[in-house]
Amino acid sequence: MLPAGILAEIAYLTERRLGIRALEALLQDLESGALALEWHNRDLPRIRELVLRYRDLPLGVADATVIAVAERNGKRVLSLDRHFHVVAQEGTIQVLP
């Protein structure tokens, strides 16, 4: 599951770091349904809350979107960003790996 709010960021980083073939594979996974885009307007209050609560972290709208979507869908987040671990202390998400 991929929060729709971070698709552009993921596509940019995939192409920049892994190349056009990796970007093509990402887009094919989205097209085939192997990855699902996720977004609900009802996430906006939680996104706003997270951005304001963790304003001292580099937690912007993209990361807050990931957290809000994860809280509704299985609570697991795959990230190497350390600031997700700070939010995980609330007990609302689990950070992998």
Side-chain angles (χ1 to χ4, degrees), residues 2-97:
L2 182 66
I6 65 164
L7 178 58
E9 182 178 354
I10 288 176
Y12 168 76
L13 290 173
T14 298
E15 183 176 11
R16 183 169 172 234
R17 294 183 182 179
L18 303 174
I20 191 70
R21 289 191 178 151
L23 176 61
E24 180 184 13
L26 170 67
L27 294 173
Q28 286 176 342
D29 284 347
L30 287 165
E31 186 177 344
S32 73
L35 289 174
L37 287 177
E38 172 71 40
W39 172 266
H40 289 284
N41 284 342
R42 67 179 178 256
D43 292 328
L44 290 171
R46 180 61 172 151
I47 292 166
R48 185 170 37 84
E49 176 187 349
L50 288 164
V51 168
L52 293 174
R53 181 173 182 179
Y54 294 103
R55 67 181 131 242
D56 294 337
L57 296 177
L59 184 81
V61 171
D63 292 339
T65 300
V66 170
I67 293 165
V69 169
E71 288 174 343
R72 283 190 302 98
N73 297 286
K75 304 190 183 296
R76 293 178 301 189
V77 172
L78 178 61
S79 179
L80 300 175
D81 293 339
R82 299 272 180 218
H83 53 271
F84 282 99
H85 293 279
V86 174
V87 178
Q89 292 175 8
E90 288 185 18
T92 61
I93 61 168
Q94 175 189 8
V95 180
L96 304 174

